[in-house]
Amino acid sequence: SGYTVEPVNLVIPATVSYEGTDYEVTAVGERAFSYCTDMVSVDFPEGLTYIGEYAFTWCVALASIDFPESLTSIDRYAFYSACSDNPVTIDLPENLTDIGERAFAYCSLSSVDFPESLTSIGNSAFFACSSLTSVELSKNLAVIDSMAFSACSSLEYINVDAGNANYCSQDGVLFTKDMTELICCPGGKGGYYAVPSGVAAICDYAFNGCSNLISIDIPASVMDIGTEAFASCSSVEAVNVDDGNSNYCSRDGVLFTGDMTGLIRYPAGKKEAYYAVPSGVVIICDGAFGSSNNLISVDLPDGLTDIGSGAFSGCMGLADMDFPESLKKIGSSAFNYCSSLTSVDLPDGLTSIEDWTFAACSNLASVDFPDNLKSIGSSAFNSCSSLTSVCLPESLANLESQVFFGSSL
């Protein structure tokens, strides 16, 4: 028969005794309670100032956290994937100054009260907090690292106190104070969005996870678009660029470099099953077609030399892909999770296959390797369960770990 595990209500004492001496508890150490999956609440003592990295990671049942007013620092990954069973409200204490990288990533937080004392929020600190609906930030916040609120699918707005010297918000979107950099568009924003004129840069992953947006307009002022700025925008059908922009352009809603040599983003929400990359494109950028699930076939032009990392990752409907002989490089994870891909014929100019390039292509049954291939990276064909045989070329000098792990070889 089964058994019932009693829920754990953790109370951390203010002092501990050792060999007759009392010691004040001022910190929770690294990984102290990680993977305590039955913990439902934690009560910290007053006097505690620091919560260490990974301290409560994967404490998935955690539903109540009582932070002491003395707490000043929450380190990286401290509550990563904790509080994920049910939405939780947390009040951060008034003396807290910094929140580390991914400290609350993947937590089901319905509300977070950010204190006036907070000065720094780390990279991806609240990444994919899918229940979070709003964020109010104080005038004292000095550092918001990349992707701090990225992929929060219910987040409707980020508001910044008007007195903040470093950041501001407009229509719930986060910018630098001078409005020259767009940092984060909240994931719950829907419909059509026009980047304000005067914005010069769209930061890395700025629109990541904005699954309700339909189209994005980019003004002439934008001179820099960061890495995978439009990743996981599953409903976006068009990224349109002002004709006066000298660095970027768009054709049929697809985003290119201004000279049309680089394809930056094919909108994941486009309905077409077939797309022909225009002649003259030599580079398909990182994540360019990522999760474009309506695509069945893509025609690549002669002259194409590079396919970036994750370029076609998660294109689950992609069944047909012919590579031009001009192709010299395919980046890591470029075709992973392309579950409809059945065969690939790799061109002779390709000398290496990077890590995870075709991983989890579950229907891939045939791979024709080029005669000049010298290296195959780690897990390049991992979990290609339909792959039953391969013929490796004599030129191959380096075969990394787990290349065919999970295949049927």
Side-chain angles (χ1 to χ4, degrees):
S1 63
Y3 63 92
T4 300
V5 176
E6 290 295 324
V8 175
N9 294 284
L10 176 67
V11 178
I12 297 175
T15 60
V16 293
S17 296
Y18 180 69
E19 295 184 346
T21 302
D22 290 339
Y23 296 91
E24 184 180 3
V25 176
T26 60
V28 177
E30 178 182 341
R31 303 178 192 273
F33 300 99
S34 61
Y35 291 90
C36 289
T37 56
D38 300 313
M39 185 187 298
V40 296
S41 71
V42 57
D43 188 1
F44 297 100
E46 197 59 46
L48 188 89
T49 60
Y50 170 76
I51 297 175
E53 57 187 55
Y54 298 93
F56 295 91
T57 189
W58 288 103
C59 292
V60 294
L62 201 54
S64 175
I65 307 170
D66 187 9
F67 292 111
E69 290 302 313
S70 54
L71 184 67
T72 60
S73 179
I74 299 174
D75 212 334
R76 67 191 192 105
Y77 289 84
F79 292 90
Y80 179 88
S81 288
C83 316
S84 55
D85 282 355
N86 297 290
V88 175
T89 296
I90 60 171
D91 292 331
L92 297 173
E94 285 302 327
N95 290 303
L96 186 70
T97 60
D98 61 275
I99 299 172
E101 174 188 357
R102 291 184 177 257
F104 292 96
Y106 296 101
C107 287
S108 185
L109 302 178
S110 56
S111 176
V112 180
D113 187 8
F114 293 93
E116 292 280 334
S117 58
L118 189 65
T119 59
S120 176
I121 300 177
N123 183 292
S124 304
F126 294 89
F127 184 90
C129 289
S130 58
S131 297
L132 194 61
T133 59
S134 65
V135 169
E136 302 279 349
L137 302 174
S138 81
K139 64 182 180 181
N140 298 316
L141 195 61
V143 177
I144 303 174
D145 278 342
S146 175
M147 298 193 291
F149 299 101
S150 185
C152 295
S153 56
S154 299
L155 187 62
E156 297 176 1
Y157 63 83
I158 302 169
N159 285 342
V160 182
D161 188 288
N164 192 295
N166 301 288
Y167 302 100
C168 70
S169 56
Q170 185 180 96
D171 297 326
V173 179
L174 180 65
F175 297 87
T176 53
K177 184 67 174 182
D178 59 6
M179 289 283 293
T180 60
E181 297 181 28
L182 191 158
I183 299 169
C184 180
C185 180
K189 201 170 188 66
Y192 302 85
Y193 182 72
V195 175
S197 179
V199 171
I202 297 174
C203 296
D204 296 350
Y205 299 94
F207 288 87
N208 182 34
C210 290
S211 57
N212 296 317
L213 283 177
I214 297 171
S215 76
I216 300 167
D217 291 346
I218 298 174
S221 57
V222 171
M223 294 290 102
D224 182 62
I225 296 175
T227 301
E228 298 203 44
F230 308 103
S232 300
C233 294
S234 57
S235 298
V236 170
E237 299 176 10
V239 179
N240 299 311
V241 181
D242 188 282
D243 290 341
N245 193 303
S246 59
N247 278 23
Y248 301 99
C249 68
S250 58
R251 180 186 291 183
D252 298 325
V254 181
L255 179 63
F256 296 88
T257 55
D259 59 4
M260 289 285 293
T261 61
L263 191 158
I264 298 170
R265 184 69 220 190
Y266 178 92
K270 283 182 78 71
K271 300 297 193 292
E272 292 81 2
Y274 167 78
Y275 181 71
V277 176
S279 177
V281 171
V282 297
I283 298 173
I284 293 177
C285 299
D286 294 353
F289 288 85
S291 299
S292 296
N293 290 323
N294 292 321
L295 279 175
I296 295 174
S297 176
V298 176
D299 187 13
L300 303 178
D302 292 333
L304 183 75
T305 60
D306 287 64
I307 295 176
S309 297
F312 293 89
S313 177
C315 291
M316 293 185 290
L318 189 63
D320 184 25
M321 176 64 68
D322 291 328
F323 298 104
E325 287 301 317
S326 56
L327 189 65
K328 305 296 182 186
K329 181 181 178 181
I330 301 177
S332 61
S333 304
F335 293 91
N336 65 354
Y337 294 98
C338 290
S339 54
S340 296
L341 204 59
T342 58
S343 66
V344 290
D345 186 357
L346 299 172
D348 289 336
L350 194 69
T351 58
S352 68
I353 299 172
E354 303 295 326
D355 297 349
W356 300 94
T357 300
F358 294 97
C361 292
S362 56
N363 284 302
L364 185 63
S366 172
V367 180
D368 190 0
F369 294 98
D371 291 336
N372 296 318
L373 187 67
K374 293 179 171 55
S375 175
I376 302 178
S378 175
S379 297
F381 296 91
N382 191 309
S383 300
C384 292
S385 54
S386 297
L387 201 58
T388 59
S389 66
V390 293
C391 182
L392 299 174
E394 293 181 3
S395 58
L396 189 66
N398 184 40
L399 197 67
E400 294 289 347
S401 64
Q402 297 189 317
V403 169
F404 298 105
F405 181 83
S407 72
S408 298
L409 294 179

